[in-house]
Amino acid sequence: MLSRVVVMAGAILLLALSALFFALNSSYQDSIQGRVYYFLGDYAKANALSASAYAKDSYNKMAFTVLTQSTIALKYEAYITQGNQYLAQIDAISTKTEVSDADRSRIKLMCEIMIDGYTALSPTPLTDEGLQERAAVVYKKFKQLHKELF
């Protein structure tokens, strides 16, 4: 009976010391905050916090994971933003009464950039599925546009 009490007290003491370590270690504080921002969808803030945490402690695996995942998420966001900008430019070109050969070449180049850019994205099992779906929608738009026009 006494041994169970000693084991339970040791376990509680170990948990308390672990919690104290994480509470006082600024690297782990930053990585936990970065992880929260990552799950909230603020990938830039998550990237900055996890980079700071990783710079403080290169053995912080949580910081490294959040840094890697937020970098991938930022690439997805940049792809989606660029795709929407290109679609707006293509819409502006399509409203003209006559589309020149230079404009057709520009549209073709935009489509090829976005199609190739999608294949360069490398998702992981931790990458936000919403980002992956939005990027896939943008990719399909450009794939369809390229198929129809060229």
Side-chain angles (χ1 to χ4, degrees), residues 75-77 79-81 83-84 87 114-115 117-119 121 123 127-145:
K75 288 179 184 178
Y76 270 89
E77 281 188 334
Y79 176 82
I80 293 166
T81 302
N84 290 334
L87 286 172
M114 294 308 295
I115 291 169
Y118 183 75
T119 58
L121 295 174
T127 305
D128 183 14
E129 289 185 18
L131 276 178
Q132 291 181 40
E133 291 170 5
R134 291 190 341 219
V137 167
V138 170
Y139 169 74
K140 289 176 185 174
K141 285 179 183 178
F142 280 98
K143 189 78 171 170
Q144 183 67 28
L145 187 62

Side-chain angles (χ1 to χ4, degrees), residues 11-80:
I12 291 172
L13 181 63
L14 182 64
L15 287 174
L17 289 174
S18 298
L20 185 63
F21 173 75
F22 286 115
L24 296 177
N25 189 322
S26 65
S27 174
Y28 283 96
Q29 288 175 350
D30 287 349
S31 64
I32 289 169
Q33 283 181 334
R35 187 168 188 221
V36 169
Y37 279 112
Y38 178 81
F39 285 113
L40 292 176
D42 189 351
Y43 305 116
K45 183 79 169 172
N47 190 279
L49 282 168
S50 60
S52 170
Y54 190 66
K56 291 176 187 175
D57 181 7
S58 61
Y59 293 105
N60 186 339
K61 289 186 179 189
M62 184 191 317
F64 179 73
T65 302
V66 173
L67 178 63
T68 303
Q69 293 304 316
S70 61
T71 301
I72 291 170
L74 288 172
K75 288 179 184 178
Y76 270 89
E77 281 188 334
Y79 176 82
I80 293 166

